[in-house]
Amino acid sequence: MDNDRTDTKLVDVARLAGCSPATVSRVLNNNPKVDVKVRDRVVKAAAQLGYVPNGSARALRSTKTRTVGAIIPTLDHAIYATMVNSLQARLSEKDVSVIINTSMYDIDIEFEQAKLLVERGVESVVLVGSVHRPETLAMLEQRNIAYVFTYTSLATDIGAAIGFDNVKAGAMAARYLVDLGHTQLGMIAGITENNDRASARRDGFLGELKRQGLANDNITVTESAYKIEGGRDSMRKLMTGPNPPSAVFCGSDIIAAGAIKYCHAEGIRVPEDVSVFGFDNLEIAELTHPELTTIEVPARDMGTIAAEYLLATPLQRQHMRQRELSLKLVVRASTAPRKPIEAQRCSFS
Amino acid sequence: MDNDRTDTKLVDVARLAGCSPATVSRVLNNNPKVDVKVRDRVVKAAAQLGYVPNGSARALRSTKTRTVGAIIPTLDHAIYATMVNSLQARLSEKDVSVIINTSMYDIDIEFEQAKLLVERGVESVVLVGSVHRPETLAMLEQRNIAYVFTYTSLATDIGAAIGFDNVKAGAMAARYLVDLGHTQLGMIAGITENNDRASARRDGFLGELKRQGLANDNITVTESAYKIEGGRDSMRKLMTGPNPPSAVFCGSDIIAAGAIKYCHAEGIRVPEDVSVFGFDNLEIAELTHPELTTIEVPARDMGTIAAEYLLATPLQRQHMRQRELSLKLVVRASTAPRKPIEAQRCSFS
DNA sequence: CTGTTAGCGCGTTCAC
DNA sequence: GTGAACGCGCTAACAG
């Protein structure tokens, strides 16, 4: 709704520098075969006029936008915000811009956003998880737009994956808790609908428990939004239900913080009466009482590595298409042995 | 580095629909004076071909990009991530894209990012705070790019401001603490260099204390990064210094959380021995022990209202140029009277 | 209501 | 090493 065209354009620079537009263009694009003197004149002229190239025109002419899109569930969860932060930081060093979109965990909205991004001419797209509408991926593939999944290690034939194995993550938590002697377990998963990461962690957790010989009767699973409130409510359900667990695996540190809050309010001791295990290793993991045992998600690294992938040439990319980052179990004070069995550090993956 | 041009373009749609490119363009732009039948044919043809308009060409021709830029210090702080989240959510409803940039609290980097945004053709820019390089604002003004400051209520002649009064915020905290009878005060400000919000809060805090008759000797000010660690270290400095305060105002809840952690470790009771006052009212304010008394920053509202401003017409904007949102004092358990004076709810602005 | 004409600002051939 | 000419895909004017 704005933008007068009082702007100086490339021709104006050319005129002032006493050369042709083509030469100015060459200087702008760092074409080495331009005489140093001429180059200097051009640079000076551009500066003097406060010339800023018109990105739309460049993009139209060169079919290069130096723009990537990122579609994440929300920026209100630190785990995604941090990823985008490092993604943008790295891309920005190479003058690549990031258009950010939030899907609110809805793959239909994600598809709409993806369409808009295609229209904007993004050269690649960063997605979260590996569950998307087939149309979304088909559209990107048809236009030859590279895409990367994050927070998962499951790539497609065409798209890369930079993340970790959520199934392993769930199993890691299960094994740690079982090793501590717990036999009555609970899980407060995040919302698993349309969230393959959350459901994979749940499946990994349950799968490992089964492998360890635990019966379904000994396990209760609930779901909660990624909010303190949700964690608190879910914990209440678990602890006042038929089979109160002695250890609970939460789909996020936020949920775990809520769970611990509930215990406090009810006089349930953590970890003496119940162990609480988080996920993400957010800053808040050090703020709960006791501090949270959790699994660290490499959010920052995922952003940086995804950026690296997108900056790479198609050839280089082939070796970067699937990157499984390792998960770190961070043992703090919210978990303890059920019976006098020695807690032991466990390291997977 | 990608993007083959196998893409179908507007002419192709026109051909298939049996009409001129201009008509297709009209349909695309919801120009009402197109016959319904023709419109239908065009829509069908476009769908059949999987046509996606070329944003660069549209932008070049129409000098409209439907794109806004946001330059914030970092996405790693929830207060900014939340603002961007709601900004994007609202703009997205109108098919306006957001290019996100982080300046790491550096106004020189901010300037560089702004240049890139101008080159990308953004129609407006969202900035944080009111301190920027003059070149940055001059550039935007010269190009007729609208800009909005957030987290501040200080507008310029040309740019709008949507936020709150940081001086008042500081004063609000000061008054609350003084009303509780505290006379020996500390402040852990955020980093104030290049951060007008942090320094305004500090100035507001100190100003109000002076107004209340407190001498400088009774006040100690330190600075800390927005990290738990930083809060802890600064609190140590304060409490082991010459004049240990009985109440401390922190520039952020994160810092306050660190301060409380230090107290825990040292056996200093909060709020009996020292009151701790936060800022932001992040989710973590309910996770500290005791829970934090703090001032709520309307991050979400700022994003939404900034979006509303940018979506408005120039005419409408005139009434929206300066928007001071009110601040809410959230009293929890981390503050208490120094002496037996009754605590009282205080509400400014 | 619809088609025709003419560029938007730039980068890329080609010649020279 | 440099310039001239063309056109990227689309929409704004203008006719009709």
Side-chain angles (χ1 to χ4, degrees), chain A residues 37 40 57 59 99 107 144 157 167 172 193 209 268 279 281 292 307 330-331:
Chain A
K37 291 181 196 168
D40 280 355
I99 298 181
I107 60 174
N144 237 293
D157 287 348
V167 174
M172 195 185 225
E193 189 183 0
L209 292 183
I268 300 169
F279 194 80
N281 197 29
L292 269 178
V330 180
V331 178

Side-chain angles (χ1 to χ4, degrees), chain B residues 173-182 185 208-209 212 214 341:
Chain B
R175 196 164 132 199
Y176 181 74
L177 260 15
V178 168
D179 283 354
L180 285 177
H182 293 283
L185 295 166
E208 180 65 19
L209 292 183
Q212 299 274 348
L214 277 151
I341 290 172

Side-chain angles (χ1 to χ4, degrees), chain B residues 277-337:
Chain B
F277 193 116
F279 194 81
D280 290 341
N281 196 29
L282 304 179
E283 219 171 1
I284 62 163
E286 299 189 80
L287 291 183
T288 57
H289 282 264
E291 294 186 8
L292 268 178
T293 292
T294 189
I295 289 175
E296 180 166 322
V297 165
R300 184 174 310 271
D301 289 348
M302 284 190 288
T304 310
I305 296 172
E308 226 58 77
Y309 174 83
L310 297 179
L311 291 171
T313 64
L315 190 68
Q316 298 172 313
R317 282 183 187 170
Q318 294 177 9
H319 308 289
M320 309 164 74
R321 286 198 48 260
Q322 194 137 0
R323 178 71 179 271
E324 182 179 343
L325 303 175
S326 63
L327 258 14
K328 211 173 72 189
L329 178 57
V330 180
V331 177
R332 295 204 185 86
S334 67
T335 49

Side-chain angles (χ1 to χ4, degrees), chain B residues 233-287:
Chain B
D233 295 345
S234 290
M235 192 64 171
R236 174 178 303 117
K237 259 182 227 146
L238 250 40
M239 299 308 283
T240 58
N243 279 320
S246 71
V248 176
F249 174 42
C250 301
S252 161
D253 290 344
I254 310 231
I255 294 174
I260 290 182
K261 264 193 94 99
Y262 167 78
C263 293
H264 266 285
E266 299 298 320
I268 300 169
R269 292 167 311 163
V270 179
E272 292 82 356
D273 298 329
V274 62
S275 286
V276 175
F277 193 116
F279 194 81
D280 290 341
N281 196 29
L282 304 179
E283 219 171 1
I284 62 163
E286 299 189 80
L287 291 183

